[in-house]
Amino acid sequence: MAYTVKRPKLAWWEKLYLPGLAKGLRITLGHFVKTLSRKKKVTMQYPEEKWDSSLPEHYRGAPALVTDEQDRERCVACQLCEFICPPRAITINPEEIPSDDKWAKVEKRPKKFEIDMIRCIYCGMCEEVCPEQAIFLRKDYAITGTSRAEMVHDKEKLYEIGGVREGLVNKWNDLK
Amino acid sequence: MDLDILAVSTLHITIAAAIKVVAFVFLTILPLVALSVWAERRVSAAMQDRVGPNRVGPLGLLQPVADGIKFLLKEDFTPKHVRKGFFWLAPALTMVPSLLTCAVIPFGSSLFGEKMVIADLDVGPLFVFAIASLTVYGIVLAGWASNSKYPFLGGVRSTSQMISYEISLGLSIVPLIMIYGELNLGRIVQDQAVNGWAMLPLWGEGLGKNLLLWIPVTISFVIFTTSMFAETNRLPFDLPECETELVAGYHTEYSSMKFALFFLGEYAAMIIGSGLAVTLFFGGWSLPFGWLAPETGAAAADIPWWHGAIHILTFFAKVIVFILFFIAVRWTLPRFRYDQLMDLGWKVFFELAIINVILTAIILWVIK
Amino acid sequence: MTILFYIFAAIAIFGGIGVVVYKNPVTSAFSMVFSFLGLAALFIQLDAYLVGTLQILVYAGAIMVLFLFIIMLLDVPQEEKRSFPLTAGVGALAVGLGLIVALMIVLKKSGVGEGTLPKLEAASGKGLTDIHKIGELLFSTYWFPIQIVGLLLLVATIGVVVLSRKELR
């Protein structure tokens, strides 16, 4: 419905516009002086100052694979993360664990595990869907490279970022 | 024999003029343009609680250099649908008049017996307005030659805006010319140095009954400055290129160095406008309270060189303050609506300027 | 300084030729601006600073901008296609040549071109610049014509206002 907007009635000195200008200038110059005198901390000088120390616990950075305290790669190549990944950034080629291996009963492990960091949207669905607690989003956020190939994290790189993670549920222990 | 002397003196004048052109226009105004671009970005950043460009060089002072290199190296793309000849001509036509107007602005008293103005014309302000009125061609042609709707609308708006405000701009300085009885900017400044600035008549003859003239001069100053904002297409009157309505206005189709010329032309016009405002209203190169003011009618050679140097520095200090004012206003006020702009130009400033002329005439008649 | 004269005279003349020759109206109008600029420079060379400056300010800076403005709203391709009748060309050439011949005869008879004239500042006697001189003349000898011209312009302005009002048909 159309309706008429009530315009405020201006006094004659308000119509002069100059008081308005002075008022506006006072605000902007106030900010100007405040910023110049460094009374107000405004922006982080990014490459020199980083926010790493104040990142929250739930920060979602680059996804990475982890090993546990028994040095076992936790991923069992179930490929759930590959299927749920919205931008299809994850590629997994599974392979069978040979029978003479200590962890032969796990049966499967990834032969190739690649995350294309150009595609990754840091949604954290892979972490959520993983039944093995093998993939986690870490606090790395500055992922850069000079070529597309460099931006694809392969298995070694993923384990390098992920490292060892202790205190997780060990469902492949001999006790069970 | 006589001819020989003539030839030598012309050569001397030519060389002196060439040195002044190079030193003032190319070594001062152009770097000042770059510096004001930097200042614009840093000041606006500080006003919005940001930092602004601070990476390139100390305090980011080399940022304009980096920008310049970027402009030079970028692809110079000419769209297929443009009218090529005018499309190429337009950027030059905005930049050149802005720099030409430097010629009559006295940027110092004198140095080593040489008057610190490139051309000591007797029609200084008129010359500035005449050349500045040619700037509109660049914008009109850019809008028309681009052959697409947003640039065209920008060009149309700019033309009507500049023509409208040229009138109040010209009329606003008539009171000043009446007061000084003079169209030579150098002599106007000399008078202000001795008898008080137009906007600050607190010494010499300015004090006393001439103080009454302060009223019309202030009105003139308000009209002049506002019209200058409109003439240089800066906020709050940047309707020819307002992003929200016209993409980028008349320079939408331009890229690379051609765009840079528009950009630099705008800032050069702003600096010259500041220079003219300083010259007419704030005593040009003179220091306040008549300090170091040369005697009226003193020969250029009589002024010691260090006086001249201080005068030049004073002029540029004032210009820089004025530029900062331009920048502060830009980041303070919102854009006017187009009809408001036209109303202000035609229904307020035009009448006010004429009334101001009559008021000045009455005051001059009373105090004489 | 004569070199400058020839340069600016050439600009003025070629600008004038351009007005006639170019078929694109915008180019024509622009040639006219260049012609005006050359002319203004010639005035300034004659020490007539005010006339030269006003030439730029009024003609090049204001009137031609409006012209250009109107022309841009025209249909340019259609204008470009318009053929140029031969008879009109011949007629224009004849009139132009006639004018040049007439001018030459008048100049020859008046003897203006013989010898150099004194500089404007010296000619005024009091060492006044041209701007003061013009001002003095306008408000003493010619004040009545000035008033008449002013009234004429006022009448024209009022006429435009009346004609452009919408409700009047």
Side-chain angles (χ1 to χ4, degrees), chain B residues 9-312:
Chain B
S9 78
T10 357
L11 190 69
H12 166 246
I13 289 169
T14 316
I15 289 174
I19 291 172
K20 278 188 269 186
V21 169
V22 170
F24 181 48
V25 180
F26 293 105
L27 297 181
T28 315
I29 295 291
L30 286 181
L32 208 55
V33 167
L35 204 66
S36 57
V37 175
W38 172 83
E40 171 109 55
R41 296 176 66 181
R42 288 305 296 257
V43 170
S44 67
M47 281 177 176
Q48 298 165 351
D49 299 345
R50 294 185 286 115
V51 176
N54 64 345
R55 291 284 138 184
V56 196
L59 290 172
L61 268 171
L62 292 178
Q63 183 68 38
V65 180
D67 285 348
I69 292 170
K70 184 197 79 176
F71 276 131
L72 279 172
L73 295 181
K74 241 179 165 178
E75 185 192 356
D76 194 358
F77 182 71
T78 310
K80 223 175 183 168
H81 55 78
V82 301
R83 297 182 171 90
K84 278 226 176 61
F86 289 118
F87 189 77
W88 280 75
L89 197 60
L93 279 178
T94 43
M95 183 74 182
V96 171
S98 308
L99 291 181
L100 262 182
T101 42
C102 303
V104 291
I105 291 180
F107 53 93
S109 51
S110 64
L111 203 62
F112 305 120
E114 196 62 57
K115 265 191 185 172
M116 282 296 107
V117 53
I118 296 169
D120 196 18
L121 279 191
D122 279 332
V123 286
L126 284 181
F127 178 83
V128 173
F129 293 150
I131 300 296
S133 68
L134 296 178
T135 334
V136 72
Y137 282 110
I139 294 170
V140 167
L141 281 182
W144 179 75
S146 293
N147 208 3
S148 66
K149 52 184 174 282
Y150 293 124
F152 187 71
L153 284 172
V156 168
R157 278 184 178 190
S158 172
T159 320
S160 39
Q161 177 180 327
M162 288 178 95
I163 292 175
S164 308
Y165 276 87
E166 243 164 47
I167 295 168
S168 31
L169 192 70
L171 281 175
S172 71
I173 66 153
V174 170
L176 276 170
I177 294 168
M178 286 162 73
I179 291 167
Y180 293 110
E182 186 64 70
L183 267 174
N184 183 309
L185 288 171
R187 285 202 285 272
I188 289 179
V189 173
Q190 172 62 40
D191 198 8
Q192 294 194 36
V194 178
N195 294 326
W197 301 349
M199 282 293 287
L200 203 71
L202 295 180
W203 60 94
E205 283 173 24
L207 215 55
K209 56 184 181 179
N210 284 14
L211 218 54
L212 255 183
L213 288 170
W214 189 76
I215 302 163
V217 167
T218 310
I219 298 173
S220 278
F221 177 67
V222 170
I223 299 176
F224 182 87
T225 317
T226 318
S227 305
M228 201 49 109
F229 276 102
E231 283 284 298
T232 49
N233 290 329
R234 279 185 65 88
L235 264 161
F237 305 115
D238 71 331
L239 286 130
E241 45 180 311
C242 53
E243 297 87 353
T244 39
E245 293 163 34
L246 297 178
V247 187
Y250 55 87
H251 55 61
T252 305
E253 306 282 354
Y254 284 88
S255 56
S256 176
M257 209 54 210
K258 290 213 278 296
F259 167 75
L261 278 180
F262 278 118
F263 193 66
L264 296 179
E266 193 186 313
Y267 279 89
M270 183 176 109
I271 290 170
I272 301 304
S274 309
L276 194 60
V278 164
T279 305
L280 286 172
F281 295 95
F282 290 98
W285 41 257
S286 61
L287 286 162
F289 303 109
W291 291 328
L292 300 184
E295 302 261 318
T296 307
D302 291 347
I303 300 164
W305 68 269
W306 59 277
H307 281 205
I310 289 173
H311 287 154
I312 291 174

Side-chain angles (χ1 to χ4, degrees), chain C residues 63-134:
Chain C
I63 293 180
M64 282 317 289
V65 172
L66 287 179
F67 260 65
L68 208 65
F69 200 56
I70 304 298
I71 290 169
M72 280 174 187
L73 299 173
L74 294 176
D75 189 7
V76 171
Q78 195 200 334
E79 292 290 320
E80 276 175 336
K81 263 183 241 144
R82 234 168 45 182
S83 62
F84 192 71
L86 194 71
T87 44
V90 172
L93 216 64
V95 169
L97 282 177
L99 195 66
I100 290 174
V101 169
L103 259 177
M104 278 174 156
I105 292 170
V106 169
L107 285 176
K108 184 79 197 150
K109 286 211 167 150
S110 67
V112 166
E114 288 150 18
T116 37
L117 291 168
K119 285 200 121 191
L120 207 61
E121 256 178 65
S124 71
K126 294 173 213 158
L128 288 174
T129 50
D130 63 331
I131 186 155
H132 287 106
K133 186 115 185 90
I134 288 173

